[in-house]
Amino acid sequence: MHKRLWVILAVIASAVVLAVVLGTLFSIGGVDVNSTNDITLSAEQKTEIIALSEIKRGKNIFSIDESIAIDNIELNQPSLKVISIERKFPNKVVIYVTGRTGVFCCKTADGEYAILDREMKVISMSDVKDNSLTELVGLQDETLTLGHELGYRNGLLLKMVKGAERCSFINERFSTFFVKAEVKEDTIDLTTNSGVIMQLPVSSNIDESVIGCYNYYLNKTSALGKSSGYIRLKDNGWKWEPVE
């Protein structure tokens, strides 16, 4: 009986020692921030990002909640995107961030201009319109506050952007080619820098519509069709029509 008791006590003691050792071994000893080449962060900015993440020295490395840390950082630093949070065992954590690029400029109800990135997130506010960005109109009922992600019809605008990216229109290239995006009840009208309006039906496959419409514009239209008029989806496919 005494032998069995000693075995139990030994097992408990071993478990306690193991817990202490692991707690010490995997206690966070350092948190760092790395950024992509497109942005440079000062030591003060890195310190602020770490503070916002609430990942603290001495905390167990396994107890980190990445989603909460990312939300905390991006809510307070909307111009940044957290790429990932990496645990480097046994006791180091690295937060990888990149900068968000403005793609759209949208006038708010109070006269300010919201700058949105490719993920339809408001990354900054401005008193003046930025003509280098795609003008986004027709969203009077949407919330446009700093850090807010636009939720237009379950992400239709985001899906449209992804379709354009499959045609190589990414960030600045999107803004250069499409000068205006007008949200209507049944269509989203993309106006090109040459004056052609691509009318994309509002649907769940709007990304495919972007690709099909652009391919038609690129390969099937004349010089006139590339400088004016509408490209619309008809029963027999995409078709160019002059301005009425």
Side-chain angles (χ1 to χ4, degrees):
M1 182 67 182
H2 290 291
K3 185 177 180 180
R4 176 192 271 175
L5 180 60
W6 280 111
V7 170
I8 294 173
L9 290 174
V11 170
I12 293 173
S14 298
V16 171
V17 171
L18 181 62
V20 171
V21 170
L22 290 178
T24 303
L25 181 62
F26 294 109
S27 177
I28 297 172
V31 185
D32 197 8
V33 177
N34 285 351
S35 60
T36 52
N37 293 332
D38 59 326
I39 61 171
T40 302
L41 298 174
S42 66
E44 290 77 11
Q45 288 173 310
K46 290 184 178 182
T47 299
E48 184 177 0
I49 291 169
I50 293 169
L52 289 170
S53 74
E54 297 185 356
I55 300 173
K56 299 176 182 178
R57 293 169 64 94
K59 191 175 182 180
N60 190 285
I61 199 168
F62 293 106
S63 68
I64 298 171
D65 190 321
E66 290 94 338
S67 62
I68 292 178
I70 290 171
D71 287 345
N72 287 343
I73 295 168
E74 294 191 346
L75 180 64
N76 292 278
Q77 297 281 348
S79 62
L80 293 180
K81 177 180 175 62
V82 180
I83 302 170
S84 65
I85 296 177
E86 180 183 358
R87 295 175 175 89
K88 291 196 171 183
F89 293 103
N91 62 354
K92 187 176 180 182
V93 176
V94 181
I95 303 170
Y96 293 92
V97 301
T98 189
R100 293 180 181 270
T101 301
V103 176
F104 297 94
C105 182
C106 184
K107 192 173 184 179
T108 66
D110 59 7
E112 280 191 295
Y113 289 90
I115 309 302
L116 298 90
D117 74 341
R118 58 177 292 275
E119 294 181 342
M120 308 310 298
K121 181 173 184 174
V122 180
I123 62 174
S124 64
M125 304 295 292
S126 176
D127 293 331
V128 295
K129 179 182 176 184
D130 188 339
N131 291 316
S132 68
L133 303 179
T134 303
E135 181 184 10
L136 181 59
V137 298
L139 294 171
Q140 289 81 3
D141 296 330
E142 287 284 340
T143 302
L144 291 167
T145 56
L146 194 60
H148 179 78
E149 291 184 6
L150 198 63
Y152 170 73
R153 294 199 192 180
N154 298 319
L156 277 174
L157 283 170
L158 176 59
K159 202 167 187 180
M160 178 197 74
V161 170
K162 289 182 177 179
E165 290 180 343
R166 288 167 62 186
C167 301
S168 298
F169 293 114
I170 302 173
N171 289 341
E172 292 88 349
R173 287 202 67 201
F174 186 100
S175 301
T176 300
F177 188 72
F178 297 110
V179 297
K180 184 178 180 181
E182 183 175 2
V183 177
K184 297 182 177 179
E185 184 175 353
D186 298 318
T187 64
I188 297 178
D189 293 2
L190 288 177
T191 303
T192 71
N193 56 16
S194 61
V196 179
I197 299 174
M198 300 181 179
Q199 288 198 326
L200 310 173
V202 169
S203 69
S204 60
N205 63 342
I206 195 168
D207 52 336
E208 297 296 335
S209 291
V210 176
I211 297 167
C213 188
Y214 176 68
N215 285 336
Y216 178 89
Y217 164 88
L218 200 62
N219 300 307
K220 300 291 182 66
T221 56
S222 62
L224 178 62
K226 286 183 171 62
S227 61
S228 65
Y230 294 88
I231 298 177
R232 295 176 170 134
L233 187 62
K234 299 294 184 178
D235 293 337
N236 57 348
W238 294 98
K239 183 179 179 182
W240 178 85
E241 296 178 347
V243 176
E244 298 173 356

